[in-house]
Amino acid sequence: MGTETRMVEMIFPDAANHYGTLFGGNALALMAKAAFIAATRHAGGSVVMARSERVDFTTPIRVGEILNLTARVIRTGRSAMTVEVLGLAQATTGAAERQALSGRFEMVAVDAHGRPLPIAQNITSEGLTHDHP
């Protein structure tokens, strides 16, 4: 099971604000989705978001640009994980990517009743995933 998830999104007008750039609420939803997928894969089951930590919008992402999101599980506790999400924007002309947003999300593994569930994995300092018996 990997601890990193990559997503690619094209920014269309329906996701933009009146300035023609990605609306912050839509950006947060995309980041949360990436964090959810990374945490779900890492935990091997259901997760919920417990907290979003600092989110930085570094540069606007314009309609017609591509947003490359990378979500990595950077910490694993008993039932909670910290997921770091980085967003790089890129023009469709192939211009260099630029950092556009970043944030951290605290995700919790849960059972069918929504109660915290222990995670059977741990991340070493090298960022590798190891299963524990």
Side-chain angles (χ1 to χ4, degrees):
M1 254 176 256
T3 59
E4 183 174 280
T5 295
R6 293 179 185 266
M7 294 175 38
V8 178
E9 291 286 335
M10 180 74 182
I11 306 307
F12 291 109
D14 65 336
N17 58 27
H18 60 289
Y19 295 112
T21 59
L22 179 61
F23 174 63
N26 290 334
L28 285 169
L30 291 170
M31 293 174 75
K33 182 178 180 181
F36 172 82
I37 293 168
T40 298
R41 287 178 169 171
H42 183 72
S46 298
V47 300
V48 294
M49 184 187 304
R51 175 176 64 234
S52 64
E53 295 182 11
R54 180 180 176 151
V55 175
D56 293 311
F57 299 95
T58 329
T59 184
I61 305 165
R62 292 171 187 77
V63 168
E65 289 188 313
I66 296 167
L67 175 61
N68 295 295
L69 292 164
T70 303
R72 291 184 318 116
V73 176
I74 60 170
R75 184 198 64 80
T76 303
R78 182 178 173 280
S79 61
M81 298 152 275
T82 303
V83 182
E84 184 176 67
V85 180
L86 176 65
L88 303 175
Q90 183 179 33
T92 55
T93 59
E97 291 180 318
R98 66 187 188 285
Q99 185 169 333
L101 43 87
S102 61
R104 288 188 178 189
F105 299 83
E106 197 70 17
M107 310 298 284
V108 178
V110 294
D111 64 17
H113 304 288
R115 291 186 299 255
L117 185 67
I119 299 169
Q121 297 182 6
N122 239 340
I123 298 178
T124 67
S125 59
E126 293 85 29
L128 302 175
T129 304
H130 298 282
D131 289 329
H132 292 279

